[in-house]
Amino acid sequence: MSPTFRCPSCGQQRLGTSGLPLVCASCGFAGTTPGPAPRPAIEIREFSKRYGTSMAVEALSLDVRAGEIFGFLGPNGAGKTTTIRCLLGFLRPTRGSLHVLGLDAWSQAAILHHRIGYVPGELALYDDLTVEQLLRFIARIRGRIDEAERARLEARLKIDPTRRVRTLSKGNKQKVGLLQAFVHEPPVLILDEPTAGLDPLMQEEVHEMLREARAQGRTVFLSSHGLREVEEVCDRIGMIRDGRLLTVESVDELKRKAPRLFEFEFEDEPRIEEFRHLAGVTDAAVQGRTLRVHIRGDADALVKAAAAHRVKRVDARDVDLEEVFFRHYGGGPP
Amino acid sequence: MNVAVFRKTLWDLRWGLVGWGVGLAIYAALMNGLFPSLKANPALDAYVESLPEEISRIFFEGGGGSFTDYGTFIRAEFLAFLPLLLSIWIVGAAARIVVGEEEGKTVDLLLAQPVSRASALLQKMAALLAVAVAVPAVVGVALVLSSATFDPGVPRWRLLSAPFYAIPFLVAMEGVVVAVAAWAHRRGPVIFAGAVLAIGWYLLFITARLQDSLESLRWATLYAYYDGNNGFHEGPDPAYWLVSVILAAGTTWLAVVLYRRKDLLT
């Protein structure tokens, strides 16, 4: 017998099947029947990895939803690559578990790899093979290759399959790495610095490929140092430092919560004390007649305080993700 | 059955096959080219008889023998060294195809494909074994062809098959070295351990042959099971093969277990 659900808008009772979309016959509300939430594409639970006496990742828990592009950020040595290598089953977690598409990343790695496309951070290909031979080798392991998709990607990424791998530039090798990850159209893509070494035009092409993958319902786990890249393509971001996850938030939310930057140029020299303790001000600096203030939320108090001076110029802008990132890590660029 | 890794490894080992096959074939031909002049020189036997017994034991088991007998000559001057020489190749090749792939970081590309670690390792070992069979085959043919100008006094099929007696030895050696490679993260320690084992076993084997008090120690070396089963004169003895095969099976199992549990650090 089908369960009965109540429309969250008008309260009418109706029959339905758990988890399926419905449109209420009474009020027209469109939604999804209550039911078990779809399982995340990637589930990491209390994952820790120790190398000898050094803890590379500690108690990391994270979900990546199916069909999203998830950015994984952190400075060098933060534990990004260790996490990715555990997701691929290259490293055994010291504690906790990592599941991709419901399969255990360590014990079911070979089965799982049918459904994962991977670009390593330090990509190494077989130098003595041509691109064609390399792709045939991978196709033989996988059992099949979609030749039409391969030809399409070769054209899109501008890859010459007759070239020997050792003669390729870093950027061209990276394109081959991307091709082998995308060509079997996996539901999950795990990409460690996928645009490293690519020119800006090709980077944009790869971003477009990522957006297309998301539109097809595929999941992307993306590690990158390119903060603008992450800002441009990711839905959510996880930030990791010293092996600990600092935050997981949507890009929009992260930017919304981030302070805005106001820059005033006055006719006279302002005193920092006038602004430092205003409501919402997180940071203030005076240089000559210029005041730079980071502020969260309402800027009313700041504007009123600035009005006590003659203002020659004012600029206001949202800080970009790069600045948010540096604030999290409290230092210079990673 | 997916044998893509086997085929790729075989391709990677092709120059080793050519190099070692041709090199050992030339060595075999040189020994055969030398034999007719030795046979025509009875003074050599007198010289060998004048050697101290300990020195004589290095060449001839039990201390007695003659270089004018082809079987004794080729066994002492060529076949006895065959497993030692091929060990050098197998140590390098095993280190390269297992740990070299980690050092070169291509292991990420390989194991990101849907192939289990056990399958990848066993396919690599099978390719190494295939070359380990092919090299003695080339050497066997070289022995037969280069002895065409004289009568060796033994059937040609024995000449052809003589290098194949090294195969159980090589399979066991491969198992041992791959087990070390499955544990290690760098080629250096694998080559070091393999070389120490190959040369250490050989020296122990020779020492045990020279010293009656150490005689039993020879059975702790893999060379004893090759030498005891040379088959050139007496024909093969499966009991000796069995020791090598058991060692190969045990070390292969260990290699698979270690490789499956290994953290691929790169």
Side-chain angles (χ1 to χ4, degrees):
Chain A
M1 185 179 148
S2 298
T4 303
F5 297 112
R6 187 181 293 277
C7 172
S9 177
C10 68
Q12 289 292 311
Q13 296 277 347
R14 63 158 291 160
L15 296 175
T17 304
S18 162
L20 290 181
L22 63 82
V23 178
C24 178
S26 302
C27 69
F29 173 83
T32 306
T33 55
R39 193 168 184 178
I42 297 175
E43 297 169 276
I44 303 175
R45 294 283 176 272
E46 290 297 315
F47 156 60
S48 299
K49 179 64 188 175
R50 178 190 291 278
Y51 298 118
T53 57
S54 152
M55 193 62 106
V57 180
E58 192 155 9
L60 188 148
S61 293
L62 182 68
D63 282 346
V64 178
R65 300 169 192 145
E68 76 170 335
I69 302 180
F70 186 90
F72 198 45
L73 294 177
N76 291 330
K80 299 190 302 291
T81 297
T82 295
T83 305
I84 285 177
R85 297 185 69 75
C86 283
L87 279 173
L88 267 296
F90 296 159
L91 301 174
R92 187 177 197 162
T94 307
R95 272 200 309 273
S97 66
L98 301 96
H99 285 83
V100 181
L101 300 173
L103 296 170
D104 184 76
W106 171 257
S107 63
Q108 296 174 291
I111 304 167
L112 186 54
H113 292 170
H114 278 289
R115 309 185 68 194
I116 291 181
Y118 171 57
V119 176
E122 288 184 64
L123 176 69
L125 306 169
Y126 295 107
D127 280 348
D128 54 337
L129 300 183
T130 64
V131 173
E132 169 88 27
Q133 288 169 332
L134 177 72
L135 294 174
R136 289 214 177 280
F137 170 57
I138 290 171
R140 276 192 209 107
I141 297 179
R142 290 195 168 271
R144 65 165 200 93
I145 192 167
D146 182 341
E147 290 293 344
E149 177 65 8
R150 193 190 110 179
R152 193 182 70 79
L153 283 170
E154 279 176 359
R156 188 170 185 180
L157 294 168
K158 298 182 177 62
I159 292 170
D160 176 359
T162 64
R163 293 274 301 274
R164 204 162 285 278
V165 168
R166 80 161 64 88
T167 67
L168 298 177
S169 66
K170 178 173 169 24
N172 280 327
K173 283 182 182 169
Q174 191 71 11
K175 290 193 279 184
V176 175
L178 285 159
L179 192 155
Q180 62 82 30
F182 276 81
V183 72
H184 57 101
E185 300 179 276
V188 173
L189 286 153
I190 297 177
L191 311 174
D192 195 354
E193 306 280 348
T195 55
L198 298 182
D199 62 57
L201 285 176
M202 197 47 72
Q203 284 184 17
E204 188 45 49
E205 192 64 48
V206 174
H207 294 166
E208 194 52 39
M209 287 165 63
L210 296 177
R211 291 189 201 98
E212 287 170 14
R214 173 174 54 195
Q216 292 159 3
R218 291 149 71 185
T219 307
V220 181
F221 188 87
L222 170 75
S223 162
S224 177
H225 277 303
L227 296 166
R228 293 194 188 283
E229 169 175 273
V230 169
E231 189 173 0
E232 199 176 315
V233 297
C234 291
D235 301 303
R236 291 194 306 146
I237 292 174
M239 288 191 180
I240 185 173
R241 182 177 65 183
D242 296 334
R244 290 179 177 275
L245 191 66
L246 296 180
T247 181
V248 176
E249 285 187 272
S250 72
V251 172
D252 292 342
E253 181 69 10
L254 202 62
K255 287 171 74 178
R256 193 184 65 73
K257 283 165 53 175
R260 277 180 300 156
L261 172 66
F262 282 80
E263 193 172 288
F264 294 93
E265 191 181 336
F266 300 117
E267 278 209 343
D268 55 337
E269 271 191 29
R271 288 183 303 113
I272 188 86
E273 291 75 22
E274 294 175 67
F275 302 95
R276 185 179 280 158
H277 303 295
L278 293 173
V281 170
T282 60
D283 186 25
V286 169
Q287 195 172 24
R289 294 174 182 174
T290 303
L291 169 73
R292 286 168 60 91
V293 178
H294 285 94
I295 188 164
R296 268 203 189 92
D298 198 337
D300 184 62
L302 174 64
V303 172
K304 282 176 178 163
H309 299 263
R310 186 172 176 78
V311 178
K312 287 177 68 180
R313 180 180 61 83
V314 60
D315 283 332
R317 65 172 176 84
D318 292 333
V319 298
D320 61 20
L321 199 58
E322 199 153 356
E323 289 181 64
V324 176
F325 184 87
F326 294 150
R327 278 167 185 279
H328 264 292
Y329 293 120
Chain B
M1 189 184 164
N2 195 324
V3 291
V5 178
F6 171 80
R7 288 173 57 172
K8 164 81 170 61
T9 310
L10 214 49
W11 178 253
D12 291 342
L13 293 170
R14 67 193 184 283
W15 292 115
L17 169 63
V18 172
W20 282 89
V22 169
L24 289 172
I26 291 171
Y27 178 21
L30 280 174
M31 289 299 111
N32 275 348
L34 207 60
F35 178 70
S37 58
L38 294 180
K39 192 178 180 184
N41 186 359
L44 189 68
D45 274 344
Y47 170 69
V48 168
E49 279 171 24
S50 72
L51 291 172
E53 191 190 335
E54 289 77 12
I55 300 295
S56 181
R57 279 185 192 178
I58 293 175
F59 300 108
F60 313 111
E61 192 172 14
S66 165
F67 276 133
T68 56
D69 170 60
Y70 178 75
T72 306
F73 167 76
I74 203 70
R75 186 174 169 179
E77 294 298 314
F78 180 71
L79 295 174
F81 299 118
L82 196 58
L84 178 64
L85 294 171
L86 286 174
S87 291
I88 294 167
W89 164 72
I90 217 155
V91 166
R96 183 159 67 89
I97 63 172
V98 181
V99 194
E101 187 132 48
E102 281 179 67
E103 280 188 327
K105 301 183 192 300
T106 50
V107 73
D108 277 19
L109 182 73
L110 175 64
L111 291 181
Q113 312 306 326
V115 58
S116 70
R117 292 189 188 198
S119 172
L121 188 72
L122 289 172
Q123 287 187 58
K124 287 179 178 206
M125 291 182 77
L128 199 54
L129 176 61
V131 180
V133 171
V135 172
V138 171
V139 173
V141 170
L143 276 175
V144 171
L145 292 179
S146 58
S147 63
T149 55
F150 64 93
D151 177 17
V154 291
R156 300 283 176 188
W157 69 265
R158 280 224 163 143
L159 271 182
L160 186 66
S161 63
F164 285 93
Y165 291 108
I167 290 172
F169 175 95
L170 293 174
V171 175
M173 197 69 195
E174 177 189 351
V176 172
V177 179
V178 171
V180 177
W183 165 81
H185 293 288
R186 293 285 172 261
R187 257 187 294 189
V190 180
I191 291 170
F192 176 77
V196 165
L197 204 57
I199 295 167
W201 264 345
Y202 188 74
L203 292 177
L204 184 61
F205 175 69
I206 294 295
T207 307
R209 190 181 258 186
L210 291 175
Q211 290 284 331
D212 287 339
S213 59
L214 299 175
E215 205 278 336
S216 58
L217 280 180
R218 64 187 293 198
W219 301 109
T221 77
L222 204 47
Y223 291 95
Y225 303 96
Y226 165 75
D227 186 68
N229 191 38
N230 189 285
F232 202 74
H233 290 300
E234 304 90 9
D237 182 345
Y240 286 95
W241 277 20
L242 199 60
V243 174
S244 298
V245 169
I246 288 171
L247 182 62
T251 49
T252 300
W253 171 82
L254 180 65
V256 169
V257 168
L258 290 171
Y259 199 62
R260 286 176 67 179
R261 298 172 62 87
K262 186 180 198 180
D263 272 352
L264 299 169
L265 299 174
T266 69

